[in-house]
């Protein structure tokens, strides 16, 4: 019954910005970690950003200083503000949720950075 709904992906020029959002729903008692990973065909899925229930954040090295993850007031929605986007950021971005028992993944949203 747990579901993750992603929004905000699209096409943007290099140097531009996008804001992704992920809303979790279902029988969730506690969200320990929530955030975003990304994957390009032929490459490993990699960490983008996560935020824990303690509000501690973790960022992949390639996005530090450019991306910011935050939790909304309902505590079950996270946003990812992506600034200074590069062509290398092109990937499918997957929302991630860990409520303490197992991992949940969204369907993925495409982000394409191109001129």
């Amino acid at each position: 019954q747990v579901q993750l709904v992603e929004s905000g992906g699209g096409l943007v020029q290099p140097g531009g910005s996008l804001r992704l959002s992920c809303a979790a729903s279902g029988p969730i008692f506690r969200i320990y970690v929530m955030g975003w990973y990304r994957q390009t065909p032929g490459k490993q899925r990699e960490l983008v950003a996560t935020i824990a229930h303690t509000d501690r954040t973790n960022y992949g090295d390639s996005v530090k200083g450019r991306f910011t993850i935050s939790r909304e007031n309902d505590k079950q929605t996270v946003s990812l503000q992506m600034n200074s986007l590069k062509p290398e950021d092109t990937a499918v971005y997957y929302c991630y949720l860990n409520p303490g028992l197992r991992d949940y993944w969204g369907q993925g949203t495409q982000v394409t950075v191109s001129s």
Side-chain angles (χ1 to χ4, degrees):
Q1 291 181 324
V2 174
Q3 290 189 325
L4 303 173
V5 179
E6 302 135 320
S7 62
L11 174 66
V12 66
Q13 291 182 305
S17 298
L18 282 175
R19 186 171 184 267
L20 304 183
S21 181
C22 177
S25 63
I28 303 170
F29 178 75
R30 175 79 69 181
I31 297 176
Y32 287 99
V33 180
M34 196 168 179
W36 296 89
Y37 288 72
R38 68 187 183 187
Q39 188 167 24
T40 300
K43 294 186 177 181
Q44 300 282 329
R45 185 170 297 187
E46 66 175 350
L47 167 71
V48 178
T50 59
I51 184 167
H53 68 99
T54 59
D55 292 328
R56 184 173 66 249
T57 57
N58 191 28
Y59 293 92
D61 289 340
S62 64
V63 308
K64 289 180 179 177
R66 299 187 297 121
F67 293 7
T68 303
I69 190 168
S70 61
R71 187 189 301 110
E72 304 303 317
N73 289 338
D74 66 7
K75 306 298 183 182
Q76 294 189 175
T77 301
V78 292
S79 295
L80 182 70
Q81 180 65 45
M82 304 186 294
N83 298 327
S84 302
L85 283 162
K86 306 174 181 179
E88 308 93 270
D89 295 317
T90 296
V92 177
Y93 285 68
Y94 295 92
C95 184
Y96 166 80
L97 166 68
N98 187 319
L101 297 178
R102 54 160 288 184
D103 296 339
Y104 292 91
W105 296 93
Q107 289 279 79
T109 185
Q110 178 71 45
V111 171
T112 301
V113 184
S114 177
S115 59

